[in-house]
């Protein structure tokens, strides 16, 4: 994961690709995996042009759309920050998409475990 670094000792994470900066674990309210239409990257606010990813492999049109896989993190102050997992646009359901999605799921699970620790 070279898009985000988790510092357990100091309870912060650093976003290296997306909303650059350092953020505190305690400020995280929620997180979710999101997909950005590749043709809008760097042309509009991050992840403002989202794509719904089909779980069915039935539509060729949807399959051919290029996206960036990312994570949306909602903070206590109401702001949202983003992490780009994909380095390059990926076609939905191809090998690289599946690899990026696997990484995104790990990052999302990390934020969910941080939220659980805050509750206890």
């Amino acid at each position: 994961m070279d898009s985000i670094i988790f510092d357990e000792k100091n309870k912060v994470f650093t976003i290296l690709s997306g909303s650059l900066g350092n953020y505190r674990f305690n400020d995280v309210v929620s997180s979710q995996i999101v997909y950005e239409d590749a043709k809008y990257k760097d042309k509009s606010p991050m992840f403002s042009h989202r794509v719904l990813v089909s779980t069915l492999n039935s539509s060729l049109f949807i399959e051919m759309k290029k996206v960036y896989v990312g994570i949306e993190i909602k903070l206590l102050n109401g702001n949202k920050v983003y992490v780009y997992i994909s380095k390059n646009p990926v076609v939905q359901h191809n090998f690289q998409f599946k690899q990026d999605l696997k990484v995104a799921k790990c990052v999302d699970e990390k934020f969910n475990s941080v939220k659980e620790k805050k509750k206890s």
Side-chain angles (χ1 to χ4, degrees), residues 6 15 18 41-42 44 49 66 73 78 88 94 112:
F6 293 100
I15 297 175
K41 185 174 189 283
D42 298 328
S44 61
H49 289 88
K66 289 186 175 185
I73 305 159
N88 298 300
N94 75 0
N112 285 329

PDB file of all heavy atoms in Angstrom, residues 6 15 18 41-42 44 49 66 73 78 88 94 112:
ATOM      1  N   PHE A   6      -0.090   3.860   7.547  1.00  0.00           N
ATOM      2  CA  PHE A   6      -0.691   3.847   8.874  1.00  0.00           C
ATOM      3  C   PHE A   6       0.421   3.856   9.921  1.00  0.00           C
ATOM      4  O   PHE A   6       1.302   3.011   9.897  1.00  0.00           O
ATOM      5  CB  PHE A   6      -1.568   2.613   9.059  1.00  0.00           C
ATOM      6  CG  PHE A   6      -2.793   2.611   8.198  1.00  0.00           C
ATOM      7  CD1 PHE A   6      -2.842   1.876   7.027  1.00  0.00           C
ATOM      8  CD2 PHE A   6      -3.901   3.355   8.555  1.00  0.00           C
ATOM      9  CE1 PHE A   6      -3.965   1.876   6.232  1.00  0.00           C
ATOM     10  CE2 PHE A   6      -5.041   3.371   7.769  1.00  0.00           C
ATOM     11  CZ  PHE A   6      -5.067   2.621   6.604  1.00  0.00           C
ATOM     12  N   ILE A  15      -1.889  10.228   3.856  1.00  0.00           N
ATOM     13  CA  ILE A  15      -2.348   9.957   2.493  1.00  0.00           C
ATOM     14  C   ILE A  15      -1.287  10.489   1.534  1.00  0.00           C
ATOM     15  O   ILE A  15      -0.946  11.666   1.561  1.00  0.00           O
ATOM     16  CB  ILE A  15      -3.719  10.609   2.222  1.00  0.00           C
ATOM     17  CG1 ILE A  15      -4.774  10.006   3.156  1.00  0.00           C
ATOM     18  CG2 ILE A  15      -4.118  10.426   0.756  1.00  0.00           C
ATOM     19  CD1 ILE A  15      -6.145  10.656   3.051  1.00  0.00           C
ATOM     20  N   GLY A  18      -3.945  11.337  -3.307  1.00  0.00           N
ATOM     21  CA  GLY A  18      -5.320  11.789  -3.066  1.00  0.00           C
ATOM     22  C   GLY A  18      -5.299  13.082  -2.281  1.00  0.00           C
ATOM     23  O   GLY A  18      -4.633  14.039  -2.661  1.00  0.00           O
ATOM     24  N   LYS A  41     -10.562  12.409 -13.707  1.00  0.00           N
ATOM     25  CA  LYS A  41      -9.485  12.559 -12.722  1.00  0.00           C
ATOM     26  C   LYS A  41      -8.650  13.798 -13.071  1.00  0.00           C
ATOM     27  O   LYS A  41      -8.300  14.023 -14.208  1.00  0.00           O
ATOM     28  CB  LYS A  41      -8.588  11.331 -12.689  1.00  0.00           C
ATOM     29  CG  LYS A  41      -7.542  11.415 -11.576  1.00  0.00           C
ATOM     30  CD  LYS A  41      -6.750  10.137 -11.468  1.00  0.00           C
ATOM     31  CE  LYS A  41      -5.878  10.131 -10.263  1.00  0.00           C
ATOM     32  NZ  LYS A  41      -4.689  10.920 -10.359  1.00  0.00           N
ATOM     33  N   ASP A  42      -8.389  14.587 -12.069  1.00  0.00           N
ATOM     34  CA  ASP A  42      -7.610  15.830 -12.182  1.00  0.00           C
ATOM     35  C   ASP A  42      -8.325  16.939 -12.962  1.00  0.00           C
ATOM     36  O   ASP A  42      -7.751  17.985 -13.205  1.00  0.00           O
ATOM     37  CB  ASP A  42      -6.232  15.577 -12.818  1.00  0.00           C
ATOM     38  CG  ASP A  42      -5.374  14.645 -11.979  1.00  0.00           C
ATOM     39  OD1 ASP A  42      -5.502  14.676 -10.733  1.00  0.00           O
ATOM     40  OD2 ASP A  42      -4.582  13.887 -12.558  1.00  0.00           O
ATOM     41  N   SER A  44     -11.774  17.632 -12.111  1.00  0.00           N
ATOM     42  CA  SER A  44     -12.842  18.054 -11.203  1.00  0.00           C
ATOM     43  C   SER A  44     -12.450  17.610  -9.797  1.00  0.00           C
ATOM     44  O   SER A  44     -11.476  16.876  -9.633  1.00  0.00           O
ATOM     45  CB  SER A  44     -14.172  17.426 -11.639  1.00  0.00           C
ATOM     46  OG  SER A  44     -14.109  16.024 -11.589  1.00  0.00           O
ATOM     47  N   HIS A  49     -17.158  12.494  -9.754  1.00  0.00           N
ATOM     48  CA  HIS A  49     -17.783  11.760 -10.862  1.00  0.00           C
ATOM     49  C   HIS A  49     -17.600  10.269 -10.597  1.00  0.00           C
ATOM     50  O   HIS A  49     -16.647   9.654 -11.059  1.00  0.00           O
ATOM     51  CB  HIS A  49     -17.157  12.145 -12.199  1.00  0.00           C
ATOM     52  CG  HIS A  49     -17.508  13.517 -12.624  1.00  0.00           C
ATOM     53  ND1 HIS A  49     -16.773  14.624 -12.251  1.00  0.00           N
ATOM     54  CD2 HIS A  49     -18.534  13.979 -13.370  1.00  0.00           C
ATOM     55  CE1 HIS A  49     -17.325  15.707 -12.770  1.00  0.00           C
ATOM     56  NE2 HIS A  49     -18.396  15.348 -13.443  1.00  0.00           N
ATOM     57  N   LYS A  66     -13.361   2.800 -17.719  1.00  0.00           N
ATOM     58  CA  LYS A  66     -12.152   2.866 -16.913  1.00  0.00           C
ATOM     59  C   LYS A  66     -12.422   3.697 -15.665  1.00  0.00           C
ATOM     60  O   LYS A  66     -13.069   4.739 -15.738  1.00  0.00           O
ATOM     61  CB  LYS A  66     -11.007   3.469 -17.717  1.00  0.00           C
ATOM     62  CG  LYS A  66     -10.506   2.543 -18.799  1.00  0.00           C
ATOM     63  CD  LYS A  66      -9.298   3.108 -19.478  1.00  0.00           C
ATOM     64  CE  LYS A  66      -8.765   2.102 -20.473  1.00  0.00           C
ATOM     65  NZ  LYS A  66      -7.515   2.575 -21.083  1.00  0.00           N
ATOM     66  N   ILE A  73     -13.003   8.865   3.057  1.00  0.00           N
ATOM     67  CA  ILE A  73     -12.925   8.851   4.520  1.00  0.00           C
ATOM     68  C   ILE A  73     -13.631  10.090   5.032  1.00  0.00           C
ATOM     69  O   ILE A  73     -13.244  11.218   4.711  1.00  0.00           O
ATOM     70  CB  ILE A  73     -11.457   8.851   4.991  1.00  0.00           C
ATOM     71  CG1 ILE A  73     -10.699   7.678   4.359  1.00  0.00           C
ATOM     72  CG2 ILE A  73     -11.379   8.816   6.513  1.00  0.00           C
ATOM     73  CD1 ILE A  73      -9.204   7.854   4.332  1.00  0.00           C
ATOM     74  N   GLY A  78     -16.761  16.774   9.407  1.00  0.00           N
ATOM     75  CA  GLY A  78     -17.670  16.721   8.265  1.00  0.00           C
ATOM     76  C   GLY A  78     -16.961  16.701   6.919  1.00  0.00           C
ATOM     77  O   GLY A  78     -17.582  16.425   5.890  1.00  0.00           O
ATOM     78  N   ASN A  88      -3.197   3.960 -12.028  1.00  0.00           N
ATOM     79  CA  ASN A  88      -3.612   4.219 -13.401  1.00  0.00           C
ATOM     80  C   ASN A  88      -5.065   3.778 -13.549  1.00  0.00           C
ATOM     81  O   ASN A  88      -5.556   2.984 -12.748  1.00  0.00           O
ATOM     82  CB  ASN A  88      -2.740   3.423 -14.379  1.00  0.00           C
ATOM     83  CG  ASN A  88      -1.289   3.828 -14.290  1.00  0.00           C
ATOM     84  OD1 ASN A  88      -0.946   4.971 -14.517  1.00  0.00           O
ATOM     85  ND2 ASN A  88      -0.434   2.878 -13.923  1.00  0.00           N
ATOM     86  N   ASN A  94     -11.209  -6.346 -14.560  1.00  0.00           N
ATOM     87  CA  ASN A  94      -9.994  -6.966 -15.099  1.00  0.00           C
ATOM     88  C   ASN A  94      -9.052  -7.283 -13.936  1.00  0.00           C
ATOM     89  O   ASN A  94      -9.344  -6.992 -12.776  1.00  0.00           O
ATOM     90  CB  ASN A  94      -9.338  -6.110 -16.190  1.00  0.00           C
ATOM     91  CG  ASN A  94      -8.594  -4.903 -15.650  1.00  0.00           C
ATOM     92  OD1 ASN A  94      -8.526  -4.651 -14.451  1.00  0.00           O
ATOM     93  ND2 ASN A  94      -8.029  -4.126 -16.553  1.00  0.00           N
ATOM     94  N   ASN A 112     -12.255   0.402   9.612  1.00  0.00           N
ATOM     95  CA  ASN A 112     -13.333  -0.186  10.418  1.00  0.00           C
ATOM     96  C   ASN A 112     -12.798  -0.718  11.741  1.00  0.00           C
ATOM     97  O   ASN A 112     -13.453  -0.581  12.776  1.00  0.00           O
ATOM     98  CB  ASN A 112     -14.044  -1.293   9.639  1.00  0.00           C
ATOM     99  CG  ASN A 112     -14.959  -0.730   8.573  1.00  0.00           C
ATOM    100  OD1 ASN A 112     -15.520   0.355   8.717  1.00  0.00           O
ATOM    101  ND2 ASN A 112     -15.076  -1.443   7.467  1.00  0.00           N
TER     102      ASN A 112
END
